[in-house]
Every structure is written in structure tokens, then in C-alpha cells.
Amino acid sequence: MLYIYNVKRYNIFMEICSIILSAGKGSRMFSDTPKPLHLISGKPMLKWVIDANKSANINKCIIVIPEESKAFEGISNGFDTVVQKIPKGTGDAVKKASVLLKKFTGIILVCFGDTPFLTSQTLKKVIKSFNSETKLVITGFKKNEKNNYGKIIFSTKDEPIEIIEQKDAEERNIHSEFCNGGVMAIHSSVLNQLNKIQENLISREFYLTDFVKILNQEKKKITFIEIKEEEILGINNQVDLSVAEKISQKHLRRNAMLKGVKLIDPETVFINYDTKFGRDVVVHPNVVFSQNVIVESLVQIKSFSHLEECKIKSGASIGPFARIRGDSILGNNSKVGNFVEIKKSNLSENVKINHLSYVGDSEIGSSTNIGAGTITCNYDGKSKNKTKIGKNSFVGSNSTIIAPIKIGENVTMGAGSTFNKDIPNNTLAIGRAYQINKKK
């Protein structure tokens, strides 16, 4: 279903479609991963752009990709894709996508899959700049220092008439403080004019930027919108990717702190785009939040801890040097200490696992204490098995618990033991070999 966008100022109702150019080979990334699928704060670059479109209520997208690839399927699900096998430039990519728009009437946005900081506010601003006469909207930003961006040339009436490459601007002795922002919007009535874009004799590519000059020569109305440079920051290599990650992390940390999270040393904390925090959370230096982490209020996470795919309930304490992963839930006021790994386990409230332990595929009842050096042996070489420990139990240090096993409530398990049989409620269990002392 196409989104009908209401440009109230001119009482125009238009359909909106976005073409997202993601067919670049990304050879400078030196990676087998397609460039638009590289992650920034845990989210593929292309997904950042798609989400910006969705936030702007643009629900019809055509994604231009380099080849049929399963790697794009999860992201492009629900959208049309067009393959540009031979990289012949942005003009060629848009022309290929326009084949799917023969019966489309409205505005076609052109975005780039490697510009993760494009905002929905900018997309809305571009769309709302259309009136009954507008045929093309282009974007740009001010940058006076020397750079390699294409330059936007204006008429004496301050109307955009051409976009030229920086080297061409220097040769023609033309100066413009406005650089090309890349994002543009085309009215469907002039979409067929894309066929007038000529192949560049040097690069053998078709540049979408030539479309500005073509429409200007035909006296079509072209509108210019100023945007921020950061929004169209392109990613071409691993250095650019690291710069983008730094920018993204700065935004995520700031948003977290503005919502009440205390980051003691913000620049050392890495947050995933989908991390959720409650109030009065304290995060110490050198903590990493990977995908799908929920941290409720009054949680303290100490240094050098790594969290992924988990939920930390109110009042819990983690670390230092703790790893929480794989569908784990830590209950209210639970404590996971130094050098403890929790995997696919559910810890009830007030559970304590303070030192040097591995707990996997387990359910642990409230107020149970797990001693140092405890291991739940969940893997038998073929499958994973569960350990269940009831509430108010105590597991002595250096215990080996061989799953599958059920341990009852109010159980005390002797230190240095190996347990491979179920233990009933209210039991003292010891599973160690006898000590024998002999004279020399």
C-alpha cells in the first residue's frame, strides 16, 4: 500500500516511493560483506536508511542491489529489489529502478544505502518542499574548506542549475560553498527524462547529478534544501566505517545519559542501537552492550562486562569481567560477579553467583547462592541439557553439576563435589571421593 503524503500548504496529495541505491561493490572495504550490510552500532547501514524512510511514513521502497543475494533478504523483506550487476553509476541505477514505476504518480525519493545518518526529518522536509510546479528537489550542505564533494551551481536568482564535480569546478574557475548532498526527490512526470543522461566519457558511468542540468535547460522548477553534512556521510572503507561508528556511539551514549543512565566514562562504553535502559542505571568503564539487551532500573554494571541477548531486572549487579549472553534473564537484585559467564539461563531474584563460574541452560530459584568455580555441564557432546536448582539452596565452591539434573529447594551441596543425580528438597549432598592420607 502506498503512503499518501499530504503537502498541506498546497493541498496536494501525492504517493511517495523511495529508491535506495545499494549496488556499490564496496571494493575499498576489502570485505566479503556487501558494503550496505556492514554494521554500525549493531544495525546494517542499509537498515538505518530504511528505518529513516519508515519513520517518515514512506512505506514503499525499491532497493537497488549488486546481485541476487540472501544477505539482503532479511533487510529488504517486504520491498522490491532491482539488480544492477554492472556498476554504471547512479543514473543507471535509478533508471533500472524506475522500470517498476511506470504506473506510479507522485514523488520518487533517491537515497543511498551507505548514508546511515540520514534522518526522517530531512526526508519529510524534502517532500514538503514540493508544490504544484516542483519537478526536482536537491539537497546540499555548506562547506567552505577544500573538499572533493560535487558543487551545486546556482543562477543569479539563487536557483540550482547544475551539479558539477569538484575537479571540473576548479578547471572552470567556479566557486560554490554548497556541496551536493546526494539525496533528491523527482516528480514522476519527469522520470522519463532520465533517458537523456549521457554516459560519462571517462568513467563510462551515468551520473544522476546530470539530471539537474537537463531539467534546468527544460525550464523545470528545481528546489534546493540545505541539510547537515553528517546526514550524508558516506562509507567507502573501514576507516569511514570507524568514523561512523564513533558518531553513532556518541548519539547513543548521549541519548542514554539524557534518559537517566550514568555512564562513568562514556567513551569506553559501547551501546547497540536496540539497547534499552531503565532509570538510575550505572555503567562503569569498558562495558559492551551487544544486540537485544534490556536493562531495568537501578542496575549496576561494572567494568569489562559484555552483555548480549539478555534481560537484566531491577537492582541487579553485574561484573566486573562478567559475560551475559544467549536468552538469559537475571532476576531482581541478583548478583553476577567477576569472571562469571551466564548463558541461556533464568536467575530468579536475589540469586548470587559471585566468582569464577559458568552457568548454562539453567533455572535457578530465588535466594540461591552459587559458590566460586561452579560449572553446569550442559553439553553431552550431542545436545544441551538443563539444570534446575530450587530456591534457598547453596552450591559449594568447585562444584561440577552434570545435566540433566533437578536440585530441590533448601539444598546444601558440598564443595569440591561432582553431582549427576537429582537431589530432593532439604538435603545435604556430597559427591566427592574419599581423602586418603598415607605416610611416605
Side-chain angles (χ1 to χ4, degrees):
M1 185 177 193
L2 299 180
Y3 180 75
I4 308 300
Y5 206 97
N6 180 11
V7 185
K8 293 183 178 178
R9 187 160 50 134
Y10 296 99
N11 196 28
I12 302 171
F13 292 85
M14 291 181 286
E15 295 178 334
I16 310 295
C17 176
S18 184
I19 297 174
I20 304 177
L21 307 183
S22 301
K25 295 291 185 181
S27 57
R28 285 177 285 177
M29 298 295 289
F30 292 96
S31 172
D32 293 332
T33 301
K35 183 172 73 168
L37 303 185
H38 279 267
L39 303 181
I40 294 176
S41 298
K43 184 195 291 190
M45 287 190 281
L46 176 57
K47 187 68 165 57
W48 284 101
V49 180
I50 289 173
D51 287 350
N53 277 268
K54 286 182 177 179
S55 295
N57 294 319
I58 303 165
N59 296 314
K60 179 178 176 62
C61 291
I62 300 171
I63 303 173
V64 184
I65 61 177
E67 57 187 351
E68 294 289 356
S69 172
K70 290 186 178 180
F72 284 91
E73 288 179 1
I75 298 173
S76 62
N77 186 31
F79 302 119
D80 293 318
T81 57
V82 172
V83 175
Q84 186 191 30
K85 286 187 178 181
I86 302 173
K88 289 189 174 182
T90 52
D92 177 70
V94 174
K95 280 195 288 185
K96 278 184 164 52
S98 66
V99 172
L100 302 180
L101 297 171
K102 290 181 178 179
K103 296 182 180 180
F104 178 84
T105 301
I107 298 171
I108 299 101
L109 277 165
V110 179
C111 308
F112 294 82
D114 64 347
T115 56
F117 302 122
L118 179 66
T119 65
S120 59
Q121 290 80 7
T122 288
L123 295 178
K124 290 177 182 178
K125 187 177 180 181
V126 169
I127 294 168
K128 289 182 179 179
S129 67
F130 269 84
N131 61 30
S132 58
E133 298 177 353
T134 307
K135 301 302 177 185
L136 179 68
V137 176
I138 65 172
T139 59
F141 56 93
K142 281 186 178 180
K143 192 176 182 70
N144 290 315
E145 59 266 31
K146 189 174 180 180
N147 60 78
N148 294 320
Y149 289 108
K151 299 298 181 289
I152 302 174
I153 310 304
F154 295 86
S155 69
T156 54
K157 297 181 181 180
D158 291 329
E159 296 173 343
I161 59 175
E162 187 179 2
I163 299 176
I164 61 175
E165 297 298 317
Q166 168 62 19
K167 60 181 180 179
D168 294 332
E170 291 176 350
E171 290 175 2
R172 292 163 57 180
N173 197 26
I174 295 174
H175 174 74
S176 175
E177 64 179 351
F178 281 102
C179 302
N180 176 30
V183 176
M184 63 172 61
I186 305 167
H187 194 276
S188 59
S189 62
V190 296
L191 199 59
N192 62 341
Q193 302 292 72
L194 289 169
N195 293 321
K196 295 184 178 181
I197 297 176
Q198 299 292 314
E199 184 180 47
N200 184 281
L201 295 177
I202 298 174
S203 67
R204 297 299 179 183
E205 293 185 352
F206 297 86
Y207 295 142
L208 186 60
T209 50
D210 292 347
F211 198 48
V212 178
K213 185 176 181 179
I214 291 169
L215 293 188
N216 175 66
Q217 291 174 341
E218 296 182 1
K219 308 300 182 185
K220 305 296 185 183
K221 181 174 174 57
I222 303 172
T223 300
F224 170 76
I225 298 294
E226 185 176 353
I227 64 176
K228 296 178 181 178
E229 180 183 357
E230 182 181 282
E231 287 198 51
I232 55 85
L233 178 68
I235 314 299
N236 294 308
N237 53 48
Q238 295 289 348
V239 175
D240 295 339
L241 190 66
S242 70
V243 171
E245 181 69 39
K246 188 173 183 178
I247 293 170
S248 175
Q249 286 299 318
K250 182 178 179 180
H251 291 321
L252 290 170
R253 293 164 187 153
R254 174 179 169 80
N255 290 339
M257 289 186 287
L258 289 175
K259 292 179 181 178
V261 178
K262 183 176 182 179
L263 304 181
I264 294 175
D265 187 4
E267 291 187 359
T268 68
V269 175
F270 285 80
I271 302 174
N272 209 65
Y273 80 97
D274 62 355
T275 305
K276 295 179 177 63
F277 292 106
R279 295 167 65 92
D280 295 309
V281 172
V282 178
V283 182
H284 291 247
N286 298 298
V287 172
V288 175
F289 297 92
S290 192
Q291 69 274 7
N292 193 26
V293 175
I294 299 173
V295 181
E296 293 185 354
S297 300
L298 299 168
V299 168
Q300 183 166 191
I301 304 172
K302 298 178 181 178
S303 296
F304 300 102
S305 295
H306 190 288
L307 292 78
E308 60 183 85
E309 300 284 355
C310 61
K311 182 176 183 179
I312 314 302
K313 292 190 175 181
S314 180
S317 174
I318 297 171
F321 295 97
R323 187 182 182 196
I324 316 297
R325 65 185 183 95
D327 300 319
S328 291
I329 299 175
L330 273 59
N332 296 332
N333 301 309
S334 58
K335 185 176 180 182
V336 172
N338 47 287
F339 303 103
V340 173
E341 179 178 357
I342 308 293
K343 175 256 178 186
K344 204 173 183 178
S345 295
N346 190 339
L347 278 57
S348 298
E349 65 273 10
N350 298 309
V351 168
K352 292 180 174 60
I353 310 175
N354 283 321
H355 328 279
L356 301 158
S357 296
Y358 169 73
V359 174
D361 297 276
S362 300
E363 294 180 12
I364 301 178
S366 60
S367 301
T368 286
N369 190 315
I370 308 295
T374 295
I375 297 174
T376 59
C377 304
N378 55 333
Y379 185 53
D380 61 9
K382 292 183 179 180
S383 58
K384 299 292 178 69
N385 300 292
K386 290 189 69 69
T387 294
K388 294 185 178 181
I389 304 176
K391 62 183 180 181
N392 298 314
S393 292
F394 175 82
V395 180
S397 298
N398 281 335
S399 290
T400 302
I401 303 172
I402 301 174
I405 189 170
K406 293 182 180 180
I407 298 164
E409 299 177 2
N410 195 31
V411 167
T412 299
M413 302 167 68
S417 297
T418 296
F419 302 97
N420 62 357
K421 297 179 181 178
D422 292 352
I423 304 172
N425 297 341
N426 305 306
T427 300
L428 167 64
I430 302 172
R432 62 172 79 108
Y434 290 106
Q435 177 177 326
I436 301 174
N437 296 333
K438 295 184 177 181
K439 292 184 178 180
K440 292 182 180 180

